[in-house]
PDB file of all heavy atoms in Angstrom:
ATOM      1  N   ALA D  24      -5.479 -13.910  -0.552  1.00 95.00           N
ATOM      2  CA  ALA D  24      -5.612 -14.657   0.703  1.00 95.00           C
ATOM      3  C   ALA D  24      -5.224 -16.117   0.513  1.00 95.00           C
ATOM      4  O   ALA D  24      -4.783 -16.785   1.461  1.00 95.00           O
ATOM      5  CB  ALA D  24      -7.045 -14.559   1.220  1.00 95.00           C
ATOM      6  N   ILE D  86     -10.635  -9.313   3.651  1.00 97.00           N
ATOM      7  CA  ILE D  86      -9.355 -10.016   3.517  1.00 97.00           C
ATOM      8  C   ILE D  86      -8.991 -10.727   4.813  1.00 97.00           C
ATOM      9  O   ILE D  86      -8.459 -11.845   4.803  1.00 97.00           O
ATOM     10  CB  ILE D  86      -8.230  -9.059   3.060  1.00 97.00           C
ATOM     11  CG1 ILE D  86      -6.987  -9.848   2.633  1.00 97.00           C
ATOM     12  CG2 ILE D  86      -7.846  -8.073   4.146  1.00 97.00           C
ATOM     13  CD1 ILE D  86      -7.136 -10.649   1.397  1.00 97.00           C
ATOM     14  N   LEU D  87      -9.296 -10.117   5.954  1.00 97.00           N
ATOM     15  CA  LEU D  87      -9.042 -10.777   7.240  1.00 97.00           C
ATOM     16  C   LEU D  87      -9.877 -12.046   7.367  1.00 97.00           C
ATOM     17  O   LEU D  87      -9.376 -13.093   7.798  1.00 97.00           O
ATOM     18  CB  LEU D  87      -9.349  -9.821   8.390  1.00 97.00           C
ATOM     19  CG  LEU D  87      -8.391  -8.640   8.570  1.00 97.00           C
ATOM     20  CD1 LEU D  87      -8.969  -7.634   9.557  1.00 97.00           C
ATOM     21  CD2 LEU D  87      -7.014  -9.115   9.044  1.00 97.00           C
ATOM     22  N   LEU D  88     -11.140 -11.959   6.979  1.00 97.00           N
ATOM     23  CA  LEU D  88     -12.027 -13.112   7.052  1.00 97.00           C
ATOM     24  C   LEU D  88     -11.569 -14.217   6.106  1.00 97.00           C
ATOM     25  O   LEU D  88     -11.549 -15.399   6.478  1.00 97.00           O
ATOM     26  CB  LEU D  88     -13.451 -12.680   6.714  1.00 97.00           C
ATOM     27  CG  LEU D  88     -14.528 -13.772   6.777  1.00 97.00           C
ATOM     28  CD1 LEU D  88     -14.647 -14.315   8.197  1.00 97.00           C
ATOM     29  CD2 LEU D  88     -15.879 -13.220   6.312  1.00 97.00           C
ATOM     30  N   LEU D  89     -11.176 -13.840   4.885  1.00 97.00           N
ATOM     31  CA  LEU D  89     -10.725 -14.836   3.912  1.00 97.00           C
ATOM     32  C   LEU D  89      -9.459 -15.541   4.382  1.00 97.00           C
ATOM     33  O   LEU D  89      -9.333 -16.769   4.230  1.00 97.00           O
ATOM     34  CB  LEU D  89     -10.482 -14.164   2.557  1.00 97.00           C
ATOM     35  CG  LEU D  89     -11.718 -13.734   1.777  1.00 97.00           C
ATOM     36  CD1 LEU D  89     -11.317 -12.978   0.515  1.00 97.00           C
ATOM     37  CD2 LEU D  89     -12.572 -14.937   1.410  1.00 97.00           C
ATOM     38  N   VAL D  90      -8.522 -14.787   4.942  1.00 96.00           N
ATOM     39  CA  VAL D  90      -7.291 -15.403   5.447  1.00 96.00           C
ATOM     40  C   VAL D  90      -7.616 -16.396   6.562  1.00 96.00           C
ATOM     41  O   VAL D  90      -7.058 -17.499   6.617  1.00 96.00           O
ATOM     42  CB  VAL D  90      -6.307 -14.326   5.944  1.00 96.00           C
ATOM     43  CG1 VAL D  90      -5.155 -14.959   6.730  1.00 96.00           C
ATOM     44  CG2 VAL D  90      -5.735 -13.541   4.772  1.00 96.00           C
ATOM     45  N   GLY D  91      -8.541 -16.018   7.446  1.00 95.00           N
ATOM     46  CA  GLY D  91      -8.935 -16.920   8.521  1.00 95.00           C
ATOM     47  C   GLY D  91      -9.585 -18.189   8.002  1.00 95.00           C
ATOM     48  O   GLY D  91      -9.265 -19.298   8.451  1.00 95.00           O
ATOM     49  N   ILE D  92     -10.494 -18.042   7.034  1.00 95.00           N
ATOM     50  CA  ILE D  92     -11.208 -19.206   6.489  1.00 95.00           C
ATOM     51  C   ILE D  92     -10.276 -20.106   5.698  1.00 95.00           C
ATOM     52  O   ILE D  92     -10.240 -21.338   5.896  1.00 95.00           O
ATOM     53  CB  ILE D  92     -12.381 -18.738   5.597  1.00 95.00           C
ATOM     54  CG1 ILE D  92     -13.450 -18.056   6.449  1.00 95.00           C
ATOM     55  CG2 ILE D  92     -12.975 -19.922   4.829  1.00 95.00           C
ATOM     56  CD1 ILE D  92     -14.561 -17.410   5.648  1.00 95.00           C
ATOM     57  N   ILE D  93      -9.488 -19.517   4.798  1.00 95.00           N
ATOM     58  CA  ILE D  93      -8.596 -20.325   3.958  1.00 95.00           C
ATOM     59  C   ILE D  93      -7.497 -20.960   4.804  1.00 95.00           C
ATOM     60  O   ILE D  93      -7.070 -22.097   4.562  1.00 95.00           O
ATOM     61  CB  ILE D  93      -8.001 -19.462   2.825  1.00 95.00           C
ATOM     62  CG1 ILE D  93      -9.120 -18.960   1.919  1.00 95.00           C
ATOM     63  CG2 ILE D  93      -6.992 -20.263   2.007  1.00 95.00           C
ATOM     64  CD1 ILE D  93      -8.657 -18.008   0.832  1.00 95.00           C
ATOM     65  N   GLY D  94      -7.017 -20.239   5.834  1.00 93.00           N
ATOM     66  CA  GLY D  94      -6.036 -20.824   6.749  1.00 93.00           C
ATOM     67  C   GLY D  94      -6.604 -22.022   7.486  1.00 93.00           C
ATOM     68  O   GLY D  94      -5.917 -23.029   7.680  1.00 93.00           O
ATOM     69  N   LEU D 118      -2.438 -15.111  12.891  1.00 95.00           N
ATOM     70  CA  LEU D 118      -2.084 -14.375  11.676  1.00 95.00           C
ATOM     71  C   LEU D 118      -3.153 -13.329  11.364  1.00 95.00           C
ATOM     72  O   LEU D 118      -2.826 -12.201  10.965  1.00 95.00           O
ATOM     73  CB  LEU D 118      -1.942 -15.338  10.493  1.00 95.00           C
ATOM     74  CG  LEU D 118      -1.734 -14.705   9.119  1.00 95.00           C
ATOM     75  CD1 LEU D 118      -0.393 -13.972   9.063  1.00 95.00           C
ATOM     76  CD2 LEU D 118      -1.814 -15.757   8.017  1.00 95.00           C
TER      77      LEU D 118
END
Side-chain angles (χ1 to χ4, degrees):
I86 192 68
L87 290 169
L88 181 63
L89 288 175
V90 168
I92 293 173
I93 297 175
L118 173 65

